[in-house]
Amino acid sequence: MIRLLERLGVPRVLMLGFLAVAIFMTGDGFELTFLSEFMVDQGFTSSQASLLVTVYGLFAAAGGWSAGMLAEMFGARRVMMFGACWWIGIHLLFLGVAIPSRIYPLILGLYALRGIGYPLFIYSFVVLMAQHISPSRLASATGFFWTCFSLGIGVFGAYLPSFIMPVFGEYRTFWFALPFSIVGTIMCFLFVPKNKVVKGEGLSRKEQLKELAEGATILVTNRKILICAIIRIINNLLLYGFPVIMPLYLCTTHNGGINIFKTEEWMRIWGFVFVVTLIFNTFWGWFMDRFGWVWPMRWFGCAVLAVGSVAFYYIPQWFGANALMMIVASIIVGIGTCAFSSLPTIMTLYAGEGKQGAALSAYNLAAGLTTFAGPGVATILLPVIGYGGVCWTYAALYVLAFVLTLFIRPRQPGFDEHGHRIAKAKNGTAPQDDAVPAVNTVSEESIGVGVAAAEAV
C-alpha cells in the first residue's frame, strides 16, 4: 500500500496526514444529509432549516478564503490544529447547549461559527502538499487528497449515520461525529509535518493583511477571474443545496413534500454522489489535460448538472419510490460535479506572474461561497416556488454557467488559440507555442497549490 501511494506521488511524511483529512471530514459530514429534516422535526420551518446551512456556508467561505494565506504565513499545522480545535469546541456547545435550548438564534450562531473550522483544517494541508510534493507528482497526489476528502464527508459521512440513526435517533447521531474529529485532530498533531517555508516571517501586520485582502480584490481588478469564480460558485450548488431540500421533499410532507423514502434511504442514495467522485475527481483532471480544459466543463459539467437538477425532482414524480432510478440521478450529479477541475489552473494563468496566490485565494473564496449559495437559493425561493421551482432555478444557474464558459478561452499548453490540440512532431513532442505560458513562469509553490485545488469537489 505504501508503495502504491508513493507511485501516486504521496510522500511518506504526509501519508498519515491524508488519513487525518479523511477521518476528520467523516465527523464534519455526519449531519449533512439529515440536519434540515431534524430541524423541521423540532418545530422549526423549512426556511429556518435551510437558513441554518446557508449561514454556515457563509462562514465556511471566510474560512476557505483565509486558510491558504494563514497557513503560508503562520504554519499549516498550527492553522490545522486551530481549525480542528475550534470545530470540536463549537460542536460541543452546539450539541450540549444550543440544540437542547431550542433557541433558534443560538443554534444559528453556533452552527455558523463551527463552519470556520473545517476549511482551516483541509485547505491548510494543501499548502503542505505544495511544499512537500514536487509539481511533477502533484496531480496524482491531489487526486488522492480529494478522494480522502470525499471518502470522509460524502461516503462515510453519509453511510455511517444512515445505519446509526435508526438505532440511536437523530440527536444522538450528532454526537458520533466527535470521535472522528478528535482522532483526526490527534493524528494532525502527531503526524503532520511543519511548513518548509513560513511566508509571514519578517512581514509587518499591514503586509500580512494586504496578502489576505488580495484574494478578494483580484475579483474586482480581473474580469476573467471573476467569471471563473462565478462558475465555481455555481459548480457545487447541488452538492450543498440538495442535502437541505431533498430530505424535506422525499422524506416529509412539508411544503408539498411527497414522503416516499425513509431518511436513511435518502442518505444512502445521496452517498452515491460521493462514491462516483472517488473515481471522477481524478478522471476529469486527466481527461482535461489531454483533450481540453473548457469544453468538458461546459458539456459534462454545466449541461449534465442542469439535467441532474431537475432529474432529482421528476424521477420520484414519474417512478415513485424507485431507489435505483434515484441512484442513477446521484451518479449523474457526481459525474457533473467533478467536471470543473481545470478552473483553478485557468485562474492562475489569467492572474499572471506574481498573482497566482491571490487567484487561488479567490478560488477558495468561491468554493466556500457555494456552500452559502446552494442552501441560500432554497432559503429564499422554497416558500415561494416550492421544491420544483428551486430545482429549476438550479438548472437555470447551470445554464448561466454554460454561457459564462464561452467567455473564458485560456491558452492551454499543447493547444492552439482555437482550443484544438497541436499535432505532435515526429519526435513525439508538440511544437513549442510561444503564446502558451511556459510551466516554469509560475513558481513551484503556486503550481502546487493550483494543482492541489484543481480536483476539488
Side-chain angles (χ1 to χ4, degrees):
M1 175 61 76
I2 291 177
R3 289 185 178 180
L4 175 62
L5 293 178
E6 287 178 331
R7 285 185 179 182
L8 289 173
V10 180
R12 295 194 181 202
V13 71
L14 292 182
M15 284 182 185
L16 291 176
F18 281 90
L19 183 59
V21 168
I23 293 173
F24 185 87
M25 292 311 299
T26 298
D28 181 77
F30 238 63
E31 82 279 352
L32 184 63
T33 53
F34 68 92
L35 177 62
S36 61
E37 185 191 359
F38 171 80
M39 291 294 292
V40 170
D41 290 343
Q42 299 303 303
F44 299 102
T45 67
S46 57
S47 294
Q48 287 176 313
S50 58
L51 179 63
L52 188 68
V53 186
T54 301
V55 178
Y56 177 88
L58 187 62
F59 278 72
W65 166 62
S66 61
M69 291 294 189
L70 289 174
E72 286 184 337
M73 288 193 291
F74 303 110
R77 189 175 71 174
R78 182 181 299 175
V79 177
M80 289 177 72
M81 287 299 301
F82 175 82
C85 292
W86 177 275
W87 191 98
I88 292 169
I90 300 298
H91 190 67
L92 285 170
L93 291 174
F94 176 68
L95 297 183
V97 179
I99 289 181
S101 75
R102 296 177 182 263
I103 300 173
Y104 184 75
L106 181 60
I107 295 172
L108 181 68
L110 285 175
Y111 193 67
L113 287 173
R114 203 197 78 178
I116 298 173
Y118 91 83
L120 294 178
F121 189 88
I122 65 168
Y123 291 127
S124 297
F125 187 75
V126 167
V127 172
L128 285 181
M129 291 175 59
Q131 294 189 0
H132 285 270
I133 303 174
S134 67
S136 63
R137 306 296 299 276
L138 259 175
S140 298
T142 300
F144 182 68
F145 171 81
W146 289 110
T147 295
C148 291
F149 174 85
S150 295
L151 194 64
I153 195 172
V155 179
F156 290 130
Y159 283 109
L160 288 178
S162 75
F163 295 106
I164 294 171
M165 192 179 64
V167 179
F168 293 95
E170 293 173 329
Y171 176 69
R172 290 187 178 91
T173 300
F174 285 124
W175 289 92
F176 279 87
L178 281 170
F180 293 97
S181 57
I182 291 171
V183 170
T185 304
I186 293 172
M187 291 185 67
C188 171
F189 178 75
L190 295 177
F191 303 118
V192 170
K194 294 182 179 180
N195 286 42
K196 287 185 175 181
V197 178
V198 179
K199 186 177 180 182
E201 292 179 352
L203 292 181
S204 67
R205 182 61 54 87
K206 183 178 180 180
E207 290 171 327
Q208 291 173 349
L209 291 174
K210 182 181 178 182
E211 288 282 340
L212 284 172
E214 199 169 41
T217 57
I218 197 171
L219 294 171
V220 178
T221 59
N222 192 314
R223 184 172 63 91
K224 295 290 188 181
I225 288 180
L226 175 62
I227 291 173
C228 291
I230 293 171
I231 295 171
R232 180 62 182 92
I233 292 171
I234 295 172
N235 170 196
N236 278 359
L237 287 177
L238 299 189
L239 209 62
Y240 295 99
F242 272 7
V244 174
I245 66 169
M246 283 299 152
L248 302 177
Y249 171 56
L250 298 173
C251 308
T252 76
T253 56
H254 294 279
N255 285 92
I258 55 179
N259 193 24
I260 59 174
F261 288 106
K262 295 180 180 179
T263 304
E264 56 267 28
E265 291 174 330
W266 144 250
M267 294 162 74
R268 293 164 194 164
I269 289 168
W270 186 245
F272 271 89
V273 171
F274 292 92
V275 172
V276 171
T277 65
L278 299 182
I279 300 171
F280 279 88
N281 270 330
T282 303
F283 170 78
W284 281 124
W286 170 87
F287 185 91
M288 289 177 168
D289 280 341
R290 285 155 181 79
F291 301 104
W293 283 341
V294 178
W295 73 264
M297 184 195 319
R298 182 180 302 141
W299 292 102
F300 292 100
C302 302
V304 166
L305 287 175
V307 173
S309 301
V310 294
F312 258 87
Y313 178 75
Y314 285 107
I315 284 177
Q317 300 278 349
W318 295 338
F319 298 97
N322 189 322
L324 181 60
M325 291 299 297
M326 294 298 293
I327 289 171
V328 170
S330 294
I331 292 172
I332 291 172
V333 170
I335 291 172
T337 297
C338 298
F340 294 78
S341 60
S342 59
L343 270 177
T345 307
I346 294 171
M347 291 173 75
T348 56
L349 287 178
Y350 278 139
E353 179 64 22
K355 297 288 187 179
Q356 290 83 15
L360 292 167
S361 290
Y363 175 87
N364 287 342
L365 176 62
L369 285 174
T370 196
T371 67
F372 162 76
V377 169
T379 300
I380 296 170
L381 298 181
L382 184 59
V384 181
I385 58 179
Y387 299 106
V390 172
C391 290
W392 276 104
T393 300
Y394 287 142
L397 289 170
Y398 283 113
V399 172
L400 171 62
F402 182 101
V403 173
L404 290 176
T405 62
L406 300 173
F407 295 93
I408 54 175
R409 300 181 181 89
R411 292 298 304 275
Q412 181 174 351
F415 292 75
D416 63 23
E417 64 274 13
H418 301 294
H420 301 135
R421 190 169 185 83
I422 300 173
K424 288 186 177 181
K426 290 182 179 180
N427 62 2
T429 61
Q432 179 66 38
D433 186 348
D434 293 336
V436 177
V439 172
N440 60 12
T441 62
V442 182
S443 69
E444 177 174 319
E445 180 178 332
S446 297
I447 294 172
V449 179
V451 175
E455 315 223 27
V457 173

